[in-house]
Amino acid sequence: MSSTILLSLETSSPVCSVALHRLDDSSLLGQSELRLDKSHSTHLTVLMEQLLANTGYQLADLAAVALSDGPGSYTGLRIGGAAAKGLCFALDIPLVAVSTLRAMTAQVAAVTARPEKYLYCPMLDARRQEVYAALYTHEGQEVLAPAPLILDADTLAEQLAHRSVLFFGHGAAKFQAVLGEHPNAGFLAGIEPSAISVGQLGVAAFHRQEFQDVAYYEPFYLKEVYTTTPKAK
């Protein structure tokens, strides 16, 4: 088999998923996911190996790796980044980074009736009353860049005053509780980051040759990683 296969990895959330797409026509060859919190470090490699075996491919068939770039779980993003960089180094293939929030938008817009009616706001829980969020059109054009948002009744008030907005992701429920009923706000439950949508956008980025420097790549954490210093004894 020629090297025309893209492997995509999604580790930014508690759902760890992997997928394979053909680069010539973007068709999905297979996907696998595991919904088990804090499982990425021990199960990501197994998921990749099983997916390749189940679809009849080998690592040598990979032409590139696409990675969910963040924001999201610091630990999950580090694990995914290390795995992707290791594969790209070993196989001498390019690395493609795909925005987690943009990939979630593509996932939702693809199944939304009259998708052009809405702006899309993926929200990832950042603890307390904060989320990582962005705003996109149905075509993935950025309206509001990814940012950490403190949620209150006035959050995104300007955008909601003029457009219908769909909110989704595991941080959206917190905003729904704060915002309450709003004529221009719609909330979708059960939307999680997926390697399938990462792969779909990754195929397009591959053909645009939007590759990362494998040696220096770091995930898009959005905020600095907080560390604590042990108290002196």
Side-chain angles (χ1 to χ4, degrees):
M1 299 179 185
S2 60
S3 298
T4 59
I5 308 302
L6 176 79
L7 171 68
S8 54
L9 312 179
E10 167 54 68
T11 61
S12 69
S13 78
V15 180
C16 181
S17 63
V18 297
L20 285 177
H21 286 82
R22 290 181 60 90
L23 283 169
D24 54 357
D25 61 5
S26 303
S27 60
L28 177 67
L29 296 169
Q31 66 92 26
S32 183
E33 67 179 30
L34 185 63
R35 294 173 178 267
L36 184 63
D37 197 14
K38 299 181 180 178
S39 67
H40 301 356
S41 60
T42 54
H43 295 288
L44 178 58
T45 299
V46 175
L47 284 179
M48 291 189 292
E49 292 174 346
Q50 290 178 342
L51 178 61
L52 288 165
N54 291 340
T55 54
Y57 291 94
Q58 301 177 354
L59 287 175
D61 298 315
L62 298 181
V65 176
L67 176 67
S68 183
D69 184 45
S73 160
Y74 295 134
T75 301
L77 291 172
R78 286 197 296 270
I79 292 169
K85 291 171 69 170
L87 285 171
C88 292
F89 270 125
L91 301 172
D92 193 23
I93 56 177
L95 173 64
V96 176
V98 174
S99 164
T100 304
L101 300 178
R102 194 184 299 271
M104 292 175 67
T105 294
Q107 177 184 344
V108 171
V111 296
T112 301
R114 298 181 64 190
E116 69 281 357
K117 288 179 54 182
Y118 306 98
L119 292 179
Y120 297 81
C121 186
M123 287 184 163
L124 297 177
D125 193 351
R127 299 182 182 180
R128 300 184 178 87
Q129 284 303 105
E130 190 172 33
V131 296
Y132 300 136
L135 275 176
Y136 300 98
T137 68
H138 71 290
E139 295 178 329
Q141 296 173 329
E142 188 177 279
V143 176
L144 181 67
L149 298 181
I150 303 295
L151 299 178
D152 58 38
D154 294 324
T155 300
L156 300 176
E158 180 180 349
Q159 291 80 6
L160 282 166
H162 300 97
R163 289 289 301 272
S164 294
V165 183
L166 291 179
F167 297 92
F168 48 90
H170 54 71
K174 291 200 305 187
F175 187 44
Q176 186 173 17
V178 171
L179 183 65
E181 296 292 330
H182 192 291
N184 282 344
F187 291 87
L188 305 177
I191 305 298
E192 297 282 357
S194 168
I196 295 177
S197 52
V198 170
Q200 290 168 340
L201 295 188
V203 169
F206 176 89
H207 290 300
R208 295 192 299 266
Q209 297 190 346
E210 295 176 353
F211 304 139
Q212 300 294 313
D213 186 322
V214 177
Y216 295 101
Y217 169 76
E218 290 289 339
F220 178 52
Y221 294 116
L222 192 55
K223 291 176 64 177
E224 293 294 328
V225 180
Y226 291 105
T227 58
T228 57
T229 303
K231 294 181 180 180
K233 294 182 179 180

